[in-house]
C-alpha cells in the first residue's frame, strides 16, 4: 500500500533547506540543545513533581535518547513510526484492495503513488516541527530508541529558523522548546501505563477504520495539490476544505477519537503549562517568547499554510494546546499540583473531552467523589 522508501526519498528531495549556519555554529547549536535537554529534566520533574516509579529525583532512564536531528532525520524517524503504527490498518486495506473498484490499477501503482503523496506531506511538515517525543518509535540503524519505543527529537534547523524569525534570544528560546518536549518525555517515563493506553486507543481506532484505499489516496492527493498551489478538489473557500480527519466514519471511531482528543489536549496543554511555569525561573525572556510564538501559531505563514493546516487537521492540534493549557491551569489553581497529578493514576482519571472544556467537572468527579464530598 505504501512505498516507504519512496516516501523518504520524496520528502528529503522536496523539503526546504534549513537556515544558513557555519559548520562550527552548527556544532555549537547541537551541543547547546543537548545541554538544555539534559537540564530540562531536572526543571520539569521539580515543577511537575513527577518521577519515574522507584527512582524519585533521578533523571530519565538512559534508554530514552535525545536526538538532535536535521529535517531529513526527522522525516526518516517519522516514516519509521508511521510504518509501525499503521501496519495493521495497511494490512487490512491490502486484503480489501482486490474488491475495490479499480483495485487492479490501484494495486499496480498504489504503493508508489501513496509513497510520493506521503513524502510531499512530510516535506511540508519537516520544516515546521521544532521537537517531538516519539512515543512509538522503533529503533533503526541511525535512530536509536528505547526498548519499548520512545525517543526525543529536537529539529535543530527549525529551532534556529523560528528563533531568527521571532527575533528572540537564541539561548532562551532553545531552552524554552526543550522544556516543552522534556515534559512529554516525563509524562511517558513517569506514567508507565500511558503509552500502552494510547497505543490501544489508536489501534482500536484503526481497527474500526472502514475506508477503501482510493478514498485515502484522494485525501492525500488533495493535500499534495495544496502544496503544489492547486486548489484541493471540493474546496469551497476556507470553510469548504476537508480534513484528513474526516475519514472518521463510524460512531465507535468518533467515540475513540473523542477520548484521544482529550488525552492529547491534556498532554499538549500540560507541556505548555510547564514550559511557561518553569520559564520565569530559567528563561528570562519567556514572556516575550510566548507572546511572539502565540502570534506565529495563530497566523500561520500565509494562505497556503492555513489551507494545509486545515486539511491535515493541524488546526485541531492548535486548539489542543489552547484548551489543554486552560484545563491544566484551572485544575492546578483549584487543587494544586499534587491534586492535578491524580490525573496520572489510571485511564479512568484522565479527563473526558467534555471535562477538558469544563475542568470543574473533572475536579468534581476525581476529587470530591474520591474524598467523600457530596
Amino acid at each position: 500500500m505504501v512505498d516507504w522508501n519512496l516516501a523518504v526519498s520524496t520528502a528529503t528531495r522536496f523539503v526546504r533547506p534549513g537556515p544558513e549556519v557555519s559548520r562550527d555554529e552548527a556544532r555549537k547549536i547541537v551541543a547547546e540543545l543537548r545541554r538544555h535537554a539534559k537540564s530540562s529534566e531536572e526543571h520539569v520533574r521539580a515543577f511537575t513533581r513527577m518521577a519515574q516509579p522507584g527512582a524519585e529525583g533521578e533523571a530519565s532512564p538512559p534508554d530514552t535518547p535525545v536526538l538532535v536531528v536535521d529535517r531529513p532525520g526527522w522525516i526518516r524517524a517519522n516514516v519509521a513510526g508511521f510504518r509501525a503504527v499503521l501496519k495493521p490498518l495497511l494490512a487490512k486495506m491490502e486484503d480489501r484492495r482486490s474488491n475495490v473498484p479499480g483495485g487492479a490499477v490501484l494495486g499496480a501503482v498504489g504503493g508508489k503513488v501513496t509513497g510520493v503523496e506521503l513524502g510531499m506531506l512530510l516535506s511540508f511538515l519537516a520544516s515546521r516541527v521544532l521537537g517531538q517525543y516519539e512515543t512509538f518509535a522503533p529503533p533503526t540503524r541511525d535512530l536509536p530508541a528505547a526498548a519499548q519505543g520512545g525517543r526525543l527529537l529536537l529539529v535543530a534547523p527549525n529551532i534556529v529558523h523560528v528563533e531568527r524569525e521571532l527575533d528572540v534570544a537564541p539561548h532562551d528560546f532553545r531552552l524554552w522548546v526543550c522544556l516543552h518536549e522534556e515534559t512529554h518525555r516525563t509524562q511517558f517515563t513517569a506514567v508507565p501505563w500511558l503509552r500502552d493506553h494510547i497505543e490501544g486507543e489508536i489501534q482500536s481506532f484503526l481497527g474500526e477504520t472502514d475506508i477503501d484505499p482510493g478514498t485515502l489516496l484522494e485525501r492525500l492527493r488533495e493535500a499534495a495539490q495544496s502544496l503544489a498551489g492547486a486548489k484541493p478538489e471540493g474546496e469551497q473557500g476556507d470553510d469548504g476544505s476537508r480534513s484528513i480527519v474526516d475519514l472518521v466514519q463510524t460512531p465507535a471511531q468518533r467515540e475513540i477519537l473523542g477520548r484521544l482528543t482529550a488525552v492529547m489536549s491534556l498532554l499538549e496543554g500540560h507541556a505548555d503549562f510547564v514550559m511557561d511555569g518553569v520559564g520565569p525561573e530559567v528563561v528570562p525572556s519567556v514572556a516575550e517568547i510566548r507572546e511572539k510564538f502565540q502570534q506565529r501559531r495563530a497566523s500561520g505563514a500565509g494562505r497556503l499554510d492555513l489551507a494545509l493546516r486545515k486539511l491535515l487537521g493541524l488546526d485541531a492540534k492548535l486548539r489542543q494546546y489552547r484548551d489543554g493549557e486552560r484545563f491544566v491551569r484551572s485544575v492546578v489553581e483549584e487543587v494544586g499540583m499534587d491534586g492535578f497529578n491524580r490525573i496520572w493514576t489510571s485511564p479512568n482519571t484522565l479527563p473526558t473531552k467534555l471535562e477538558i472544556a469544563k475542568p470543574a467537572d473533572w475536579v468534581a468527579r476525581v476529587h470530591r467523589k474520591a474524598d467523600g464530598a457530596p
Side-chain angles (χ1 to χ4, degrees):
M1 288 301 302
V2 181
D3 186 328
W4 297 105
N5 291 332
L6 184 58
V8 171
S9 63
T10 300
T12 53
R13 185 184 311 121
F14 286 99
V15 70
R16 297 175 182 176
E20 291 187 8
V21 296
S22 67
R23 187 179 298 272
D24 185 58
E25 185 180 6
R27 284 196 294 265
K28 290 179 180 178
I29 291 168
V30 170
E32 182 176 19
L33 287 172
R34 292 186 185 281
R35 289 196 303 271
H36 285 331
K38 183 65 177 177
S39 65
S40 293
E41 292 186 48
E42 181 180 349
H43 294 311
V44 169
R45 291 180 183 275
F47 182 81
T48 63
R49 301 176 194 170
M50 298 173 69
Q52 187 183 3
E56 185 174 354
E58 295 182 5
S60 298
D63 62 347
T64 54
V66 176
L67 306 180
V68 181
V69 299
D70 57 10
R71 290 170 178 175
W74 181 88
I75 289 167
R76 290 192 297 272
N78 276 265
V79 166
F82 287 154
R83 192 171 188 170
V85 172
L86 295 178
K87 186 175 181 179
L89 172 62
L90 294 179
K92 178 180 177 180
M93 294 174 69
E94 188 80 36
D95 291 339
R96 292 188 53 191
R97 187 167 61 181
S98 60
N99 299 320
V100 175
V105 175
L106 185 64
V109 300
K112 299 294 184 184
V113 172
T114 310
V116 170
E117 307 290 12
L118 179 59
M120 291 294 292
L121 297 184
L122 288 171
S123 72
F124 169 79
L125 294 172
S127 62
R128 285 157 172 78
V129 177
L130 301 182
Q132 175 184 359
Y133 182 77
E134 284 198 294
T135 314
F136 310 110
T140 66
R141 183 178 60 183
D142 301 324
L143 298 165
Q148 298 300 318
R151 60 185 168 223
L152 183 62
L153 303 180
L154 297 169
V155 190
N158 296 350
I159 294 172
V160 172
H161 171 78
V162 173
E163 70 190 28
R164 291 178 178 178
E165 180 184 295
L166 298 182
D167 190 25
V168 293
H171 172 87
D172 287 4
F173 184 74
R174 294 166 193 175
L175 177 55
W176 189 69
V177 171
C178 289
L179 289 170
H180 181 101
E181 302 308 331
E182 176 57 35
T183 302
H184 286 317
R185 183 164 67 159
T186 296
Q187 289 162 348
F188 285 94
T189 57
V191 186
W193 54 264
L194 186 58
R195 179 188 182 278
D196 290 342
H197 172 70
I198 293 178
E199 183 177 25
E201 293 280 51
I202 291 173
Q203 293 305 325
S204 295
F205 179 87
L206 295 178
E208 289 286 337
T209 300
D210 189 26
I211 61 171
D212 62 86
T215 301
L216 180 59
L217 278 177
E218 178 188 351
R219 299 302 165 85
L220 290 172
R221 191 166 294 112
E222 288 176 5
Q225 287 171 347
S226 291
L227 286 172
K231 193 174 183 179
E233 181 183 354
E235 182 180 347
Q236 304 295 327
D238 287 343
D239 293 335
S241 60
R242 295 176 294 177
S243 167
I244 288 177
V245 178
D246 292 338
L247 291 171
V248 174
Q249 291 182 335
T250 69
Q253 277 187 308
R254 287 191 285 272
E255 184 178 339
I256 296 168
L257 186 60
R259 294 196 298 267
L260 279 171
T261 298
V263 71
M264 297 312 296
S265 296
L266 167 67
L267 298 180
E268 295 294 356
H270 184 233
D272 265 13
F273 176 78
V274 171
M275 71 196 297
D276 287 344
V278 173
E281 297 294 326
V282 298
V283 182
S285 60
V286 64
E288 177 191 2
I289 291 173
R290 166 57 74 186
E291 181 181 1
K292 290 182 175 180
F293 194 75
Q294 289 287 58
Q295 291 173 354
R296 183 181 186 274
R297 265 185 185 171
S299 64
R303 186 180 183 280
L304 175 61
D305 190 61
L306 293 172
L308 261 294
R309 288 194 335 194
K310 186 166 187 177
L311 183 62
L312 297 173
L314 299 181
D315 280 348
K317 186 172 179 64
L318 296 180
R319 288 194 295 274
Q320 288 174 5
Y321 285 105
R322 184 175 62 248
D323 297 345
E325 195 275 340
R326 272 201 300 258
F327 170 85
V328 175
R329 185 174 301 280
S330 295
V331 172
V332 172
E333 288 176 353
E334 178 72 17
V335 297
M337 186 63 75
D338 290 335
F340 167 81
N341 281 341
R342 287 196 189 182
I343 215 162
W344 312 117
T345 303
S346 76
N348 292 330
T349 55
L350 291 173
T352 65
K353 189 175 179 180
L354 292 176
E355 288 171 343
I356 288 288
K358 296 182 178 180
D361 289 355
W362 180 86
V363 173
R365 176 172 68 85
V366 173
H367 277 266
R368 299 202 176 103
K369 289 184 179 179
D371 296 340

